[in-house]
Amino acid sequence: MLVLGPCAAESREQVIATAEQLVKSMPSATPFIFRAGAWKPRTSPDTFQGVGAQALDWLREVRERFALPLATEIATPEQLHLALEAGIDYVWLGARTSANPIQVQQLADELCASPHQPKAVMLKNPVNDDWQLWLGNIHRLSLAHIPVIAVHRGCNHHPCWEMAYRLRLAAPDIPLLLDPSHMAGTTERISDLVATAHNLAYDGLMIEVHCRPADALSDAAQQLTPQQTAQLLNTQSPTAKLTNSETHQHAVTNSEALQLRWLRAMMDEVDDELWQVLLKRMRVSREIGDYKHRVGMPVLQPERYSAILQHRLDWAAENNLSPDTVRQIMSALHNESCRWQH
Ligand code: PEP
Ligand code: MN
């Protein structure tokens, strides 16, 4: 499943031009849903908030002219009713809405009672890294008999692969899309994320596409042009095959090989975080070095080092880490810190 379109519907011209260019650029046999936000849940009230219900008329025109199914974001019962009355096929709940179970329950109740039904509700992961809340909200919608599609958009421009992995294991029948645009926050990382989505067997993608990304009124840095989008999707096969070495060497089933891919994606992300933390330690260390130079204190402070080593060894004993490993890592860290202080 592909969901493509601008972050926000900004004007009739922008909506129609984006849809038209997408239809012209995408291979004709590739179906996609056209997305555009009418109401934008922005961090600051001083920024563009979306044009509101007016956008629904432009979306209707997209369906009439290009026969595309439509998706828009809703966050209140009123927005839900307006979107469904306008014949929007899919509604999505954004990451900020998805962080609020009372709001999701209210929308599930409204959907249950509504005379118009969407084909499905797309539910983004909450803004906070809480897969159980995401799952709980899927249950809220499922209990109201609403088909749900989960959309993984990460937190603070980090993928948080573990969140999607846990959801996949707990709810294997719920289709899972990747939203590389909000996950990355800039266009540069989108291609790698799309490759990972194929590698991890996601069921589809939601990508932000704008006819003139540089002029976008929201999320300008992360939107691709229709032509870039078509090229990206063209070069990345959605059926990433298991490599021979994975299938033969380990003689594992496809799903086991897939599990290993997820675990490796999670480990790569942990390693990235670990190295970022190490770099942060070195920056703090450099500031301590500046202080030492100012007051004429030697860089090497054996008592301080013994104290932090002992503290870490005590902690390691409680956490099943070998003391030898802890000594080696602490020694390497200490040496590197001293280097940053010279
Ligand atoms: C969006 O899809 O434009 C959007 C606002 O997404 P999110 O809720 O994931 O930030
Ligand atoms: Mn957006």
Side-chain angles (χ1 to χ4, degrees):
M1 172 180 268
L2 280 176
V3 188
L4 310 174
C7 177
E10 299 167 0
S11 67
R12 176 178 169 273
E13 181 276 327
Q14 170 250 8
V15 169
I16 303 295
T18 305
E20 183 165 36
Q21 290 178 31
L22 267 171
V23 168
K24 284 193 180 141
S25 315
M26 294 289 289
S28 55
T30 311
F32 67 92
I33 298 163
F34 186 77
R35 64 150 279 163
W39 299 276
K40 297 307 298 176
R42 306 299 303 290
T43 303
S44 162
D46 302 330
T47 53
F48 177 62
Q49 307 291 299
V51 299
Q54 196 186 3
L56 301 174
D57 294 336
W58 307 334
L59 283 172
R60 266 206 299 248
E61 191 175 337
V62 166
R63 190 185 29 229
E64 278 155 25
R65 287 176 62 167
F66 309 111
L68 292 173
L70 305 170
T72 202
E73 173 168 354
I74 55 100
T76 67
E78 193 201 355
Q79 293 169 1
L80 172 70
H81 291 305
L82 286 169
L84 294 182
E85 275 160 23
I88 299 290
D89 304 274
Y90 298 85
V91 291
W92 82 81
L93 306 192
R96 290 149 193 88
T97 306
S98 180
N100 182 340
I102 293 180
Q103 206 177 342
V104 175
Q105 186 61 57
Q106 190 183 21
L107 291 167
D109 294 343
E110 290 288 332
L111 271 158
C112 212
S114 165
H116 310 285
Q117 293 294 318
K119 292 199 171 75
V121 171
M122 297 170 182
L123 182 70
K124 300 259 192 143
N125 67 258
V127 261
N128 51 331
D129 181 3
D130 184 347
W131 71 271
Q132 281 164 319
L133 180 57
W134 195 12
L135 180 67
N137 284 336
I138 288 172
H139 283 162
R140 286 185 171 85
L141 293 162
S142 300
L143 284 171
H145 304 290
I146 300 152
V148 185
I149 297 166
V151 183
H152 178 208
R153 48 85 79 207
C155 305
N156 296 326
H157 302 317
H158 294 293
C160 306
W161 295 117
E162 184 170 359
M163 171 163 57
Y165 177 63
R166 301 284 165 221
L167 186 82
R168 225 10 169 186
L169 292 180
D173 298 333
I174 297 291
L176 179 64
L177 310 189
L178 188 83
D179 169 351
S181 311
H182 291 89
M183 187 173 280
T186 63
T187 52
E188 288 93 64
R189 285 170 56 214
I190 291 183
S191 163
D192 282 352
L193 288 169
V194 168
T196 307
H198 293 325
N199 198 36
L200 299 181
Y202 276 69
D203 301 296
L205 299 162
M206 178 187 270
I207 303 179
E208 287 195 338
V209 186
H210 193 292
C211 55
R212 293 178 303 277
D215 298 337
L217 300 179
S218 58
D219 288 346
Q222 70 195 28
Q223 302 203 60
L224 296 174
T225 63
Q227 297 74 20
Q228 287 169 328
T229 309
Q231 201 191 1
L232 170 72
L233 297 174
N234 215 9
T235 49
Q236 298 219 5
S237 151
T239 49
K241 296 274 186 304
L242 296 177
T243 63
N244 281 343
S245 69
E246 271 173 320
T247 45
H248 293 146
Q249 262 180 24
H250 305 295
V252 291
T253 64
N254 281 8
S255 79
E256 278 171 334
L258 190 55
Q259 184 177 12
L260 182 62
R261 293 176 183 197
W262 274 98
L263 294 171
R264 286 192 169 152
M266 284 154 61
M267 180 172 274
D268 288 349
E269 190 172 15
V270 171
D271 279 349
D272 282 344
E273 286 166 12
L274 193 60
W275 283 99
Q276 288 298 337
V277 171
L278 290 184
L279 203 54
K280 190 170 166 187
R281 186 188 206 274
M282 295 311 146
R283 294 201 186 103
V284 173
S285 192
R286 175 173 281 159
E287 285 196 47
I288 293 176
D290 292 345
Y291 172 86
K292 288 176 177 169
H293 292 306
R294 260 199 323 274
V295 302
M297 192 190 264
V299 163
L300 204 58
Q301 295 286 316
E303 275 179 26
R304 161 79 177 152
Y305 181 60
S306 299
I308 57 174
L309 178 60
Q310 193 52 53
H311 170 72
R312 198 52 56 197
L313 284 168
D314 294 345
W315 178 84
E318 289 162 21
N319 287 283
N320 201 25
L321 285 166
S322 109
D324 283 352
T325 306
V326 171
R327 277 180 209 283
Q328 282 173 29
I329 292 175
M330 283 301 292
S331 165
L333 273 178
H334 185 240
N335 288 342
E336 183 66 8
S337 280
C338 290
R339 200 179 68 80
W340 278 61
Q341 294 194 359
H342 275 301

